[in-house]
Amino acid sequence: MRYTVLVVDDEFNQRRALIEKVDWNSAGFEVIGEAENGVEAIELVEKLEPDLIFTDIKMPLITGLELAAKVREMRPITQMVILSGYDSFEYAQTAIQYNIISYLLKPISSEELSKELFNIRDRMDERLQKILNPVSSDINQTVRKLSVTEFLLPLMLGSSEEKPNDDLLKKRATELGIIESNSNPHFCVMISKFRNEQGESCTSKSHITFIQNILSSYLKNESFFAYGRIVTLIILEDDAISHKLDLPLREIVQSSKRVLEQDCTIGVSRTVDSLALCSSAYLQAVTARRYTSDGAGEVRFIDDQERDSVFELDRVEQNVFKLEQLLKVGKKEELQSFLNGLYEQSTPENADLLVMQIVSTIYRAVSTVSDKSTLSELIAKNSIFSRMTSYSSENVMRSELIDLCICAKDVITKNQKRDTEILCDKVIQIIDEEYGNEDLSLTSVSERLGVSPNYLSALIKNTKKKNFVTLVTERRMKAAYDLLVYSTMKILEVAEKCGYSDQHYFSYCFKKFYGESPNKVRNNNRGTQ
């Protein structure tokens, strides 16, 4: 595998020397781009998706370490090499958390750097092997893995007739090392599927290692393979998931594309505070992943697409099984009590769905134990079935049912589109109102809107054809232009008003946007006022 490189240095001669005099090719590297500062570098990272960035630590606008931090958020699989004149443990220590694979002290000759590239290559290869290779395991670990899968599989798929006892589940999960003793964790379920370059599904048990090797660096998790999917139980300290999972999920998707040459799509459930609710979480994760078919991002949280009330529907669906059992073998008192309980737990919004589920369950339960004439007699005696039995022919009923389904599909599609447009409009509104806030970010906005950063980023690109940073920059530049032309504010005051604490950084961004410096724009427009 040949690694791609982006070189960043504000000194033109040093940058060209680094590109032209260092023997990149022998060590398996290819320089695909260069930037004179961190701002340009960030733009190129999104465009070129380099495997490695070589950067000087001391640069104008943003430093090498600040660049490393921003790259880490955007593209966690990209590694960094820092060139620095600072022989400081503090700098080296900071570097570790930002995917900085090498910290080189200047001055360093092109010959020395050419040799060092082989060491850097070895470290990058080692990182890839760590992702791909299964962790060596003894017989005890293998048995434990089988036991964990045996425990989680029925828990996720909801094969138990009765709701499992959560205390017993926690006890068993503790014995298996899934959770810590005396802890009260939250859980969410993640579903992953992989497709090759031909678009064919290629998910296999081997992907379990890939998923776990990446996720384990961030969060405690357990995975198994079922029905062509990798099913992952994620153990959390609290119920905040989207921002904790943003980085690891980016890394999984990006690593899959770069290392495996496969597209990975992921669905994530809401959090639950009980292992007994994992079957609902599993269904949510399966549904969430299916939403990725719209092309607006490879990762989807169920909260990105559906309101919380869906969780109530999951519970109603679980109770359908219980209802059928009571119809067949339960006592009348138990049946009446159960139905009253269903209505008390249900919201007014879900009442219609509850009725339909009860009716369909009754129909199914009776039809399995009686002949058609008995079922027809039951239906004829009960007025709730009257609408379903008043059709003149089966063809009419089928036609109207098809029309109903098509209309329902149209309603869902229109509402999804409307919700998408409303979400993007809210983003624009926040930018318009808060562009002067230097800390305004995709993560902070997504948190306020209750969706994941991954989804919001993909949605903005898909709808507005621009990324979040570009939208913010455009708004800031337009505001800055108006303040320069129509006010007497100093340049520094204009910069701060528009979200820039560094005047030089502001001036650079302004000139790049308009082609002229702030002073020149102000001077050119004075005569027209």
Side-chain angles (χ1 to χ4, degrees):
M1 179 176 175
R2 182 167 290 275
Y3 293 110
T4 56
V5 182
L6 173 66
V7 176
V8 188
D9 197 311
D10 61 309
E11 293 290 339
F12 177 80
N13 291 334
Q14 291 183 22
R15 189 170 72 249
R16 294 312 305 172
L18 192 60
I19 294 171
E20 295 170 2
K21 294 182 180 181
V22 173
D23 187 0
W24 301 94
N25 189 61
S26 294
F29 291 94
E30 177 189 0
V31 177
I32 59 171
E34 59 180 293
E36 68 174 354
N37 57 56
V39 179
E40 282 189 5
I42 291 170
E43 294 174 356
L44 288 175
V45 166
E46 190 168 27
K47 180 181 178 182
L48 302 177
E49 299 182 343
D51 299 315
L52 183 67
I53 297 176
F54 262 76
T55 181
D56 191 2
I57 197 168
K58 191 176 182 181
M59 293 188 299
L61 307 182
I62 63 173
T63 68
L65 286 180
E66 289 171 336
L67 171 62
K70 291 181 181 295
V71 170
R72 169 73 170 157
E73 292 179 5
M74 294 170 54
R75 191 166 174 78
I77 70 166
T78 295
Q79 304 293 297
M80 304 283 295
V81 173
I82 296 285
L83 297 170
S84 173
Y86 300 100
D87 186 7
S88 167
F89 175 74
E90 182 182 350
Y91 277 103
Q93 195 175 35
T94 304
I96 294 172
Q97 63 182 308
Y98 293 143
N99 278 6
I100 297 178
I101 202 167
S102 186
Y103 187 85
L104 304 177
L105 293 177
K106 297 191 296 185
I108 183 170
S109 68
S110 56
E111 292 80 10
E112 290 174 319
L113 191 50
S114 296
K115 292 178 181 178
E116 181 61 27
L117 283 178
F118 286 92
N119 294 328
I120 294 170
R121 167 87 197 199
D122 288 342
R123 290 178 205 141
M124 294 184 73
D125 286 344
E126 185 180 339
R127 178 187 172 278
L128 286 187
Q129 291 306 314
K130 186 178 179 182
I131 291 175
L132 296 174
N133 289 349
V135 179
S136 58
S137 58
D138 56 25
I139 187 65
N140 291 330
Q141 289 174 316
T142 302
V143 171
R144 187 243 173 209
K145 191 68 181 173
L146 290 172
S147 298
V148 168
T149 300
E150 185 181 359
F151 171 70
L152 291 179
L153 189 59
L155 195 62
M156 297 286 186
L157 302 184
S159 59
S160 175
E161 292 186 7
E162 300 290 336
K163 181 179 177 181
N165 184 294
D166 198 53
D167 290 334
L168 294 177
L169 292 178
K170 285 183 68 175
K171 181 181 178 181
R172 181 57 178 153
T174 303
E175 292 171 353
L176 292 170
I178 296 174
I179 62 175
E180 302 292 333
S181 60
N182 300 319
S183 64
N184 292 296
H186 288 70
F187 309 93
C188 73
V189 176
M190 183 178 104
I191 298 293
S192 310
K193 292 190 78 170
F194 296 80
R195 292 188 180 276
N196 59 25
E197 290 177 307
Q198 290 73 44
E200 302 164 335
S201 179
C202 61
T203 314
S204 67
K205 290 182 179 179
S206 64
H207 287 104
I208 294 174
T209 298
F210 175 78
I211 293 286
Q212 287 195 315
N213 284 347
I214 294 175
L215 267 185
S216 296
S217 299
Y218 299 88
L219 297 158
K220 189 171 177 58
N221 66 96
E222 301 286 349
S223 294
F224 63 91
F225 178 81
Y227 301 113
R229 308 177 179 107
I230 304 300
V231 184
T232 305
L233 177 71
I234 297 174
I235 297 92
L236 301 153
E237 293 180 358
D238 53 45
D239 60 357
I241 57 171
S242 64
H243 304 295
K244 289 181 179 178
L245 285 177
D246 182 48
L247 204 58
L249 297 191
R250 280 179 192 268
E251 186 168 343
I252 289 172
V253 169
Q254 292 170 5
S255 296
S256 178
K257 190 170 292 185
R258 183 70 177 102
V259 180
L260 303 180
E261 297 182 342
Q262 297 170 0
D263 290 327
C264 175
T265 52
I266 298 173
V268 185
S269 74
R270 297 185 180 93
T271 56
V272 294
D273 58 6
S274 164
L275 284 166
L277 296 174
C278 280
S279 59
S280 292
Y282 170 81
L283 292 173
Q284 290 173 12
V286 170
T287 302
R289 197 207 63 81
R290 287 175 179 158
Y291 279 113
T292 62
S293 61
D294 64 8
E298 298 91 348
V299 176
R300 206 61 56 86
F301 290 74
I302 192 65
D303 275 336
D304 292 335
Q305 301 292 157
E306 299 181 357
R307 299 178 179 88
D308 278 338
S309 58
V310 174
F311 188 58
E312 291 184 41
L313 308 189
D314 288 340
R315 290 181 176 177
V316 172
E317 288 172 0
Q318 286 182 349
N319 285 325
V320 164
F321 181 82
K322 176 70 173 178
L323 173 59
E324 188 165 350
Q325 296 303 303
L326 287 172
L327 286 168
K328 292 177 179 178
V329 298
K331 296 178 180 179
K332 289 183 180 180
E333 295 79 7
E334 291 175 329
L335 178 60
Q336 186 171 350
S337 175
F338 177 75
L339 288 171
N340 285 332
L342 278 186
Y343 265 95
E344 289 171 5
Q345 294 169 16
S346 178
T347 63
E349 294 81 4
N350 295 336
D352 290 342
L353 176 61
L354 182 61
V355 169
M356 287 186 280
Q357 286 179 316
I358 291 173
V359 169
S360 63
T361 303
I362 293 170
Y363 190 98
R364 183 174 63 250
V366 173
S367 65
T368 60
V369 296
S370 66
D371 55 31
K372 190 172 182 180
S373 60
T374 304
L375 180 61
S376 298
E377 184 180 350
L378 171 67
I379 292 172
K381 287 181 177 179
N382 199 304
S383 59
I384 200 169
F385 289 97
S386 61
R387 290 187 181 182
M388 292 184 287
T389 58
S390 61
Y391 290 94
S392 58
S393 72
E394 188 174 320
N395 286 336
V396 173
M397 178 186 284
R398 180 174 62 184
S399 176
E400 292 195 9
L401 281 173
I402 292 172
D403 287 344
L404 175 62
C405 290
I406 298 299
C407 290
K409 174 65 178 172
D410 288 342
V411 168
I412 291 170
T413 301
K414 287 177 182 177
N415 275 276
Q416 286 175 339
K417 184 177 180 182
R418 185 188 65 187
D419 289 347
T420 296
E421 292 170 349
I422 289 173
L423 200 59
C424 285
D425 287 343
K426 286 180 179 177
V427 172
I428 298 301
Q429 181 182 351
I430 291 172
I431 292 173
D432 282 341
E433 293 174 353
E434 302 179 28
Y435 64 84
N437 177 8
E438 188 175 11
D439 296 325
L440 186 65
S441 67
L442 178 70
T443 300
S444 65
V445 172
S446 65
E447 195 168 30
R448 287 165 60 180
L449 295 178
V451 295
S452 66
N454 266 310
Y455 175 61
L456 189 60
S457 175
L459 195 64
I460 292 170
K461 287 180 184 177
N462 202 40
T463 306
K464 301 297 182 182
K465 310 305 177 188
K466 298 174 183 178
N467 62 32
F468 178 82
V469 173
T470 300
L471 291 174
V472 173
T473 301
E474 287 180 352
R475 184 64 185 88
R476 285 173 172 171
M477 291 301 102
K478 289 174 183 176
Y481 188 95
D482 288 342
L483 289 172
L484 288 167
V485 173
Y486 300 111
S487 80
T488 58
M489 284 185 180
K490 295 178 181 179
I491 302 297
L492 176 59
E493 292 174 330
V494 171
E496 290 175 342
K497 191 78 173 176
C498 296
Y500 297 92
S501 58
D502 186 322
Q503 184 177 334
H504 297 292
Y505 185 19
F506 163 72
S507 296
Y508 170 84
C509 294
F510 188 91
K511 186 172 183 180
K512 187 174 182 181
F513 191 84
Y514 285 109
E516 295 180 329
S517 69
N519 274 321
K520 191 168 184 180
V521 166
R522 169 166 277 176
N523 292 333
N524 288 345
N525 284 275
R526 274 181 178 171
T528 63
Q529 302 305 308

